[in-house]
Amino acid sequence: MRRRDMFRAVLAGTGTFLGLRAVQAAATETPRLKVAYHLSDVDKVNFVLGNIKNHYEGTGGNVDIALVVHGPALASFKSKGISAAVSGRFAGLVQQGLEPQACGNTMRGMDISLADLLDGFHAADKGGVVKLAELQSQGYAYLRP
């Protein structure tokens, strides 16, 4: 009978050990971050794009980033007349997974369509601030550099 008890104890200990290893492995995995950048100032376009680039690099790409653009800053993303540096930087970020959102209210107010903007933009039809609130309710951290 002692052998059976010892066998059961070894089995129980092995199960506990394996369970602890699984918990430790899960604890060391970094959860995927979700971040919403808010941009409305023309003079911060390059700064914000740089922050987003740094965010992707700093997390090893383990981040979902939305960029919500409204107000005067939206005109900076029109495909006609944009600098090659901004256009290239933006395209690279979109390739990394950036989801740019253009405020529908600003688009209507400035007579801008999605076709006028750089590739990758989606329309936030209800407005930029509404989109930001929706993203925050989905667990996105809010950043306004």
Side-chain angles (χ1 to χ4, degrees), residues 38-41 68-74 101-103 106 128-129 132 144:
H38 180 182
L39 176 62
S40 62
D41 301 321
V68 180
V69 184
H70 70 101
L74 189 60
Q101 302 283 327
C103 174
T106 301
V129 293
L132 285 165
R144 183 165 185 177

Side-chain angles (χ1 to χ4, degrees), residues 5-141:
D5 292 338
M6 286 177 31
F7 181 70
R8 285 182 187 150
V10 168
L11 281 178
T14 302
T16 302
F17 175 75
L18 292 175
L20 286 174
R21 297 274 300 178
V23 168
Q24 287 173 340
T28 59
E29 291 178 19
T30 305
R32 190 163 183 87
L33 300 174
K34 299 188 314 184
V35 181
Y37 278 84
H38 180 182
L39 176 62
S40 62
D41 301 321
V42 174
D43 60 332
K44 292 188 178 179
V45 170
N46 282 312
F47 180 70
V48 169
L49 292 178
N51 279 337
I52 293 171
K53 177 183 176 283
N54 292 341
H55 213 137
Y56 278 120
E57 290 175 359
T59 61
N62 190 28
V63 62
D64 294 325
I65 300 178
L67 170 64
V68 180
V69 184
H70 70 101
L74 189 60
S76 300
F77 293 95
K78 290 174 76 173
S79 55
K80 289 186 180 177
I82 193 167
S83 76
V86 171
S87 176
R89 179 182 251 183
F90 180 81
L93 293 172
V94 169
Q95 285 180 334
Q96 287 184 272
L98 177 66
E99 293 200 21
Q101 302 283 327
C103 174
N105 296 328
T106 301
M107 289 172 62
R108 284 185 289 281
M110 297 176 80
D111 196 27
I112 297 174
S113 70
L114 280 178
D116 296 326
L117 297 172
L118 294 173
D119 288 338
F121 266 99
H122 303 277
D125 292 325
K126 297 177 189 173
V129 293
V130 172
K131 185 63 179 182
L132 285 165
E134 289 172 350
L135 290 167
Q136 288 178 71
S137 73
Q138 295 167 14
Y140 279 71

